[in-house]
């Protein structure tokens, strides 16, 4: 991405987003108006688990190199998202990986989890078995940290998105508010909290933690890695902006910008995220807040969702039965659709059993009852967020496979009492590209201010 792009105006420049998900990565390039210019995707390869870091690096530069030169040459900024709490232990000076990466879903052993719970406040997200803090403590308890220090190496921790960005800008001391949350970062304070700092000082690890910054914040250009690594893919002159997690990038992709707007992701389960002026954290319901700009992204997840439908219906059956549903004639069925017992949100009941009886003879009515009940649970979820202090709901944007079902959308709008529409964009890489555009606009604003000051 050549220096000429850095001098382009907002509408002439392109912006690039990279999403590193669970099974592969995707790149999206947009123009200044948000239109998609080009996209590409890649799996990590069958042998990726043998060396995750090498696979991610290979895919990063492979995707950048695969873009058409005409598009790549106009990219002025980029941002990267990765899976939450996927972390690496590095040599802070050389960038060498000192221990195999720990993935987002890798629960740590009982000693590390117990240590995390001792350090963190009760039920804090950093105390979870899959948190970044638990992974850091695993490396410390296992001696990897001490072994590096004994060799004269300064160990450093980075998240997946942080590390991939470091391959372009060459710095290994920066993260973002969203990725750093499960390490213990407090986005309200814009700092690591005292309960974590005091423990770090005793253990000598504070300096190894990456500083937090907002997603999309104007980033860095150049650095020791930019010429060697970025240059080989044409990325040496692009501004690398603050990244985020894959779920936050997907939220940004949906185009939600105003307090009160929300995104419901209808996949195998049902996740809700509401943009709120107030922060809400409640461990009893698995609710915690990410900071997004000047607002809070409050989220929770129900165990109901598409996985229940898969127990009973094929895609063809869903299409045929949905066509026969009469939305204006409610089924009157009161279900709580679950695959296995247990629910955390909007009710906290680990023993809650699936309720899918009575089952009508007509499967279209049975399906209608399930969809109506899921819509009711979605409404209860947003009502629970409101009771806990979040901003009132004004609109719901839908992402995921369930977004294409127009009759279900009508049921949900009736249950929620607000407009419901399908997200125009659902790819996390598109959300990352929007964050890159945000950083570029900050750059242009700063440059204009500097010109006015100089004038």
């Amino acid at each position: 991405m050549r220096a000429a792009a850095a001098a382009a105006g907002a509408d002439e420049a392109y912006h690039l987003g990279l999403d590193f998900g669970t099974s592969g990565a995707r790149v999206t390039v947009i123009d200044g108006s948000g239109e998609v210019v080009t996209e590409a995707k890649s799996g990590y390869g069958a042998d990726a688990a043998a060396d995750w870091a090498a696979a991610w690096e290979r895919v990063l530069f492979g995707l950048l190199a695969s873009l058409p030169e005409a598009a790549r040459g106009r990219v002025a900024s980029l941002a990267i998202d990765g899976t939450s709490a996927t972390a690496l232990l590095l040599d802070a000076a050389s960038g060498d990986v000192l221990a195999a990466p720990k993935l987002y879903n890798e629960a740590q052993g009982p000693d590390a989890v117990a240590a995390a719970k001792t350090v963190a406040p009760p039920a804090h997200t950093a105390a979870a078995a899959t948190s970044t803090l638990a992974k850091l403590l695993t490396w410390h308890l296992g001696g990897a940290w001490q072994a590096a220090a004994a060799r004269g190496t300064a160990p450093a921790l980075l998240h997946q998105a942080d590390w991939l960005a470091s391959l372009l800008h060459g710095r290994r001391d920066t993260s973002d508010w969203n990725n750093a949350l499960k390490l213990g970062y407090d986005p309200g304070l814009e700092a690591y909290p005292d309960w974590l700092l005091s423990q770090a000082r005793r253990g000598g690890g504070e300096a190894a933690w990456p500083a937090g910054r907002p997603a999309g914040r104007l980033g860095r250009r150049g650095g020791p890695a930019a010429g060697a690594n970025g240059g080989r893919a044409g990325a040496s002159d692009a501004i690398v902006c603050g990244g985020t997690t894959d779920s936050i990038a997907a939220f940004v992709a949906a185009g939600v910008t105003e307090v009160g707007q929300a995104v419901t992701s209808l996949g195998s389960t049902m996740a809700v995220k509401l943009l709120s002026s107030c922060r809400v954290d409640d461990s009893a319901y698995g609710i915690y807040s990410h900071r997004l700009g000047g607002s809070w992204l409050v989220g929770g997840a129900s165990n109901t969702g598409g996985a229940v439908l898969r127990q009973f219906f094929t895609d063809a059956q869903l299409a045929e039965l949905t066509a026969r549903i009469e939305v204006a004639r409610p089924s009157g069925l009161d279900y709580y659709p679950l695959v296995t017992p247990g629910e955390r949100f909007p009710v906290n009941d680990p023993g809650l059993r699936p309720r899918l009886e009575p089952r009508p003879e007509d499967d279209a009515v049975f399906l209608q009852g399930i969809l109506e009940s899921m819509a009711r649970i979605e409404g209860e979820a947003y009502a629970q967020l409101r009771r806990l202090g979040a901003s009132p709901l004004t609109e719901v944007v839908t992402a995921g496979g369930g977004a294409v079902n127009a009759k279900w959308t009508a049921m949900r709008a009736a249950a929620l009492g607000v407009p419901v529409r399908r997200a125009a964009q659902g790819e996390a890489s598109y959300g990352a590209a929007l964050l890159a555009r945000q950083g570029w606009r900050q750059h242009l604003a700063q440059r204009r201010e500097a010109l006015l000051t100089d004038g």
Side-chain angles (χ1 to χ4, degrees), residues 348-371:
N348 180 12
D349 185 352
L352 182 66
R353 301 191 65 79
R355 189 171 71 246
L356 289 161
E357 299 287 344
R359 178 167 179 171
E361 291 185 6
D362 187 344
D363 276 348
V365 178
F366 181 49
L367 173 60
Q368 182 175 355
I370 294 175
L371 296 179

Side-chain angles (χ1 to χ4, degrees), residues 34-301:
E35 292 296 317
V36 175
V37 175
T38 186
E39 293 183 292
K41 61 182 179 179
S42 172
Y44 296 135
D47 59 346
D51 190 340
W52 280 114
W56 296 333
E57 182 174 0
R58 180 180 67 252
V59 169
L60 168 65
F61 291 109
L63 283 174
L64 292 175
S66 74
L67 297 173
E69 174 60 28
R72 196 167 70 237
R74 292 177 63 179
V75 171
S77 62
L78 66 90
I80 304 174
D81 75 72
T83 49
S84 176
T86 294
L88 303 86
L89 186 65
L90 307 172
D91 181 327
S94 68
D96 294 339
V97 178
L98 301 178
K102 293 186 178 294
L103 303 186
Y104 69 101
N105 60 349
E106 288 186 34
Q108 303 305 292
D111 290 345
V113 175
K117 289 182 177 178
T118 299
V119 174
H124 193 284
T125 187
T130 56
S131 72
T132 312
L133 179 60
K135 289 161 186 170
L136 174 62
L137 289 167
T138 296
W139 281 317
H140 193 275
L141 293 171
W145 195 278
Q146 296 88 328
R151 294 194 302 268
T153 298
L157 178 141
L158 285 182
H159 301 90
Q160 180 189 36
D162 311 333
W163 178 71
L164 289 164
S166 79
L167 297 178
L168 298 176
H169 60 56
R171 298 285 297 272
R172 287 171 284 278
D173 59 357
T174 303
S175 184
D176 61 84
W177 290 346
N178 306 137
N179 272 296
L181 189 72
K182 292 181 181 179
L183 179 57
Y185 188 84
D186 188 331
L189 298 174
E190 299 186 22
Y192 289 100
D194 288 340
W195 59 261
L196 195 55
L197 294 178
S198 60
Q199 182 68 26
R201 294 185 189 105
R202 288 194 291 272
E206 179 184 353
W209 297 355
R213 61 173 170 164
R217 174 64 59 86
L218 179 60
R220 300 187 174 97
R221 181 190 291 126
N229 290 337
R232 74 181 193 228
S236 59
D237 290 309
I239 294 173
V240 184
C241 302
T244 188
T245 66
D246 54 350
S247 64
I248 303 299
F251 182 91
V252 173
V256 171
T257 59
E258 301 296 327
V259 166
Q261 290 182 308
V263 173
T264 297
S265 298
L266 298 173
S268 58
T269 59
M270 180 171 66
V272 301
K273 290 185 172 68
L274 170 69
L275 202 59
S276 172
S277 60
C278 304
R279 181 178 185 174
V280 176
D281 296 284
D282 194 311
S283 59
Y285 296 100
I287 295 170
Y288 57 88
S289 298
H290 280 282
R291 190 169 172 187
L292 195 59
S295 303
W296 294 94
L297 186 54
V298 184

Side-chain angles (χ1 to χ4, degrees), residues 437-449:
R437 185 182 67 175
Q438 176 183 318
W440 175 247
R441 287 175 173 174
Q442 291 174 5
H443 167 70
L444 293 180
Q446 290 182 6
R447 190 170 65 182
R448 284 194 295 267
E449 184 177 350

Side-chain angles (χ1 to χ4, degrees), residues 367-381:
L367 173 60
Q368 182 175 355
I370 294 175
L371 296 179
E372 287 171 344
S373 298
M374 289 181 180
R376 184 196 73 245
I377 293 167
E378 182 183 2
E380 292 170 353

